[in-house]
Amino acid sequence: MQEHLMTILTFAAGVLSILIVTYGQIINARLKKWSEAKLAEHGLTEAAKWQADLKAGLLTGAKAALLDGKSITEAIKAAITHTLASNADAAAGLRPQPDVLERLATAAVADAAADLAATAANAVKAGAAAGPALDELTTVLHGALTGAGAR
């Protein structure tokens, strides 16, 4: 059991590293350019709030989708849908392009998966007491990475 868990966690960490490295620099550069233009257009306070709202909405949507057993691709779509619905003012104010929003959602899913992997790693350290919760979490992570766990 623990060998399988470590294999799953190693696989998840590898996939997350690839996602983060690949998209991290692109997302940061685009986000910086985009936010600088919006800060100049709307003023620091309003644009900064919108940006934070959009980011929080994406992360919340991503975590909810992964915990619901969605694949990574489905989680990206769900994160976008959630943030557009729950942060309509921010989306209307910033008007992010679809490709920018998809890249931001991809980063949010990577962050959400990393948080779940960290939770699983902490549960492994906790030992047998974490058994059922750890089993459920590894099933969710495996399903998200393979697309096999979609409900």
Side-chain angles (χ1 to χ4, degrees):
M1 159 81 179
Q2 207 162 26
E3 290 176 4
H4 294 288
L5 174 63
M6 295 310 293
T7 301
I8 291 169
L9 291 175
T10 302
F11 178 71
V15 169
L16 291 174
S17 295
I18 291 169
L19 282 173
I20 291 168
V21 170
T22 302
Y23 292 105
Q25 291 178 337
I26 294 169
I27 291 167
N28 284 337
R30 284 188 178 230
L31 183 58
K32 183 178 178 186
K33 184 177 179 183
W34 175 49
S35 64
E36 286 173 353
K38 292 304 171 182
L39 288 175
E41 182 179 330
H42 297 287
L44 176 63
T45 304
E46 188 175 36
K49 181 189 179 312
W50 288 341
Q51 190 177 13
D53 289 348
L54 223 66
K55 183 177 179 181
L58 288 168
L59 187 59
T60 300
K63 282 184 179 181
L66 290 175
L67 288 172
D68 195 30
K70 304 291 184 196
S71 70
I72 289 178
T73 302
E74 293 170 324
I76 291 168
K77 291 176 185 173
I80 292 170
T81 300
H82 174 78
T83 202
L84 291 177
S86 65
N87 299 293
D89 291 344
L94 295 171
R95 292 183 307 273
Q97 294 297 313
D99 64 322
V100 171
L101 198 53
E102 186 169 343
R103 286 186 183 100
L104 293 172
T106 300
V109 169
D111 288 346
D115 289 349
L116 292 173
T119 300
N122 287 336
V124 169
K125 291 177 187 173
L134 181 58
D135 289 343
E136 176 65 22
L137 188 54
T138 54
T139 300
V140 166
L141 285 173
H142 181 265
L145 292 170
T146 63
R151 295 180 205 173

